[in-house]
Amino acid sequence: MTASPVPSFYLYGEPQRSVAEGFVHVESLDDRSRPSEWTIRPHVHRDLNHIILIAEGGGAMQAEEAAVRFDAPCLLLIPAGIVHGFSWASESRGAVVTIADSYLRHLVLRDADLVPLFAHPQAVALPRSDRAAAEDAITRMDQELSWAGPGQRAAVESALLHLMVLALRHAALSQQAQPGTPRQAALVARLRERIDQRFRLREPVSAHARALGVSLTALRQACARVANSSPAQMLDDRALLEARRMLLYSQLSVTDIAYAVGFEDPAYFSRFFTRHVGQPPRSWRAARES
C-alpha cells in the first residue's frame, strides 16, 4: 500500500497514536502557531476533529484543495480525516478545541441536529456579540480539563455542546427537511469508516451493505438523508480525494497514483478522474502547480 504523502499527526507535530474515547483538548492558538511563524503546514488527523475560535485577526485555511479566507470573530470546523493547513495573520488570537472522533459521533447520535456540523470543513462567522460566549465556553472547558473534580466530564461536555450549538446556529448549513434519524447517522458514520479503510479495494456497494448488516435499500436511504449522496458516490468521492491529495502533495506519476487508489487500468483511472473532476489528472496537477 502506498503511504500517504501528507503527514498524519496526533496533535500537530506529535507522532500518531491511539485516541482515548472521550478525548477533548484545549490549547491557545498561539502555542503552535507562533513557533511556526503563524503557518501550519498541510496535515491530517485520523481520529480528531477541530473547532478553532479566531477571536482576533484572521487568515486562510486550506482544506483539501479548497482555500477559505476568514476574519475574526469566527469558528473553524475541521472534520477528522481532512487535510488542512493554515496561514494566520500575525498576532491572531484564539483557541483550538480538539475532539476525539468517537466522542463526537456519540454526541451526534444523541442529537441529530448536529449531524451536518462536521459534514465538511467550514468557517462560521460569529456576531461580535457572540464572541464572548464562545470564549467563555472554551475557558470553562480548559479550566475543567485542568483538574479532576466531581462532575468534570459533564462540565466539559456542557461547555463543548454550548460551543457546538453556537456554531450550528450561525453556520450556513444545507437545509434538509429530514436530516436522517440517529440510527441512519450511525450507519453512515460506520460506512464512512469502512470506506476510509477499504476504498482501495474498489468493492461493490453490496459488499459494504452485507458487512454492515443492512439491506442495499436501507443503506441508500441513510446516505441520501444524512449525506445527501449515494453509497456509490461516497466510494468514488473517497478515491478522488486520495487521488487529488497524491497529485497535490507527491511526485508520484499518474500511473502510480492510479494503482495506489485501487485501479488496475491507469487509462480507466484517467477517464474516471476526468469525468468527475472535469480535467485529466495531469492537467489538474499542472493547473495547481502554476
Side-chain angles (χ1 to χ4, degrees):
M1 182 182 297
T2 303
S4 172
V6 182
S8 178
F9 296 126
Y10 181 64
L11 299 176
Y12 183 71
E14 299 182 14
Q16 184 69 57
R17 63 180 188 266
S18 60
V19 177
E21 186 172 339
F23 179 78
V24 178
H25 180 267
V26 176
E27 66 181 33
S28 168
L29 185 72
D30 195 85
D31 289 351
R32 296 175 200 257
S33 299
R34 186 179 295 277
S36 60
E37 299 183 342
W38 303 101
T39 299
I40 301 296
R41 297 185 63 80
H43 63 283
V44 67
H45 304 288
R46 189 178 61 208
D47 303 307
L48 297 171
N49 305 266
H50 287 319
I51 303 176
I52 302 177
L53 169 66
I54 307 300
E56 294 178 4
M61 171 173 66
Q62 180 180 344
E64 299 299 346
E65 69 268 20
V68 180
R69 297 202 62 82
F70 52 84
D71 293 299
C74 69
L75 292 169
L76 307 178
L77 307 175
I78 303 100
I82 293 292
V83 174
H84 59 284
F86 305 98
S87 176
W88 314 111
S90 181
E91 304 303 324
S92 290
R93 184 176 67 83
V96 182
V97 179
T98 303
I99 312 149
D101 201 43
S102 57
Y103 184 37
L104 182 64
R105 289 200 300 268
H106 168 71
L107 296 177
V108 167
L109 281 175
R110 287 162 41 193
D111 187 347
D113 284 353
L114 299 173
V115 167
L117 195 57
F118 283 86
H120 56 85
Q122 56 183 314
V124 178
L126 290 177
R128 293 202 171 269
S129 58
D130 276 343
R131 179 178 66 181
E135 288 187 289
D136 179 64
I138 292 172
T139 298
R140 285 189 286 119
M141 255 188 286
D142 195 24
Q143 290 171 342
E144 291 293 338
L145 289 167
S146 68
W147 76 315
Q152 182 219 38
R153 184 178 178 87
V156 170
E157 186 167 302
S158 172
L160 176 59
L161 285 170
H162 181 61
L163 187 65
M164 291 173 67
V165 169
L166 274 176
L168 182 70
R169 290 181 176 174
H170 292 298
L173 299 173
S174 58
Q175 297 300 311
Q176 299 181 30
Q178 295 179 305
T181 66
R183 186 185 183 96
Q184 288 176 320
L187 175 59
V188 172
R190 289 167 57 212
L191 175 64
R192 289 188 192 279
E193 184 175 2
R194 182 177 169 80
I195 288 174
D196 200 51
Q197 295 169 349
R198 301 175 64 86
F199 71 91
R200 293 177 178 87
L201 300 177
R202 305 294 295 167
E203 295 169 313
V205 173
S206 57
H208 291 278
R210 281 195 302 273
L212 294 170
V214 297
S215 69
L216 266 175
T217 299
L219 187 60
R220 287 171 177 151
Q221 288 176 344
C223 291
R225 292 188 53 186
V226 174
N228 195 29
S229 185
S230 68
Q233 185 60 54
M234 291 170 67
L235 283 162
D236 285 348
D237 286 347
R238 184 62 184 86
L240 288 164
L241 173 62
E242 195 69 16
R244 289 195 297 264
R245 287 177 177 175
M246 290 182 171
L247 288 165
L248 278 172
Y249 300 113
S250 82
Q251 299 302 313
L252 290 173
S253 69
V254 171
T255 295
D256 287 339
I257 291 171
Y259 294 138
V261 296
F263 287 80
E264 297 180 357
D265 181 354
Y268 178 74
F269 165 74
S270 291
R271 292 194 296 272
F272 167 85
F273 188 95
T274 303
R275 183 171 71 252
H276 287 278
V277 178
Q279 285 182 293
R282 288 186 180 85
S283 301
W284 189 89
R285 172 185 265 172
R288 278 144 187 83
E289 290 175 344
S290 60

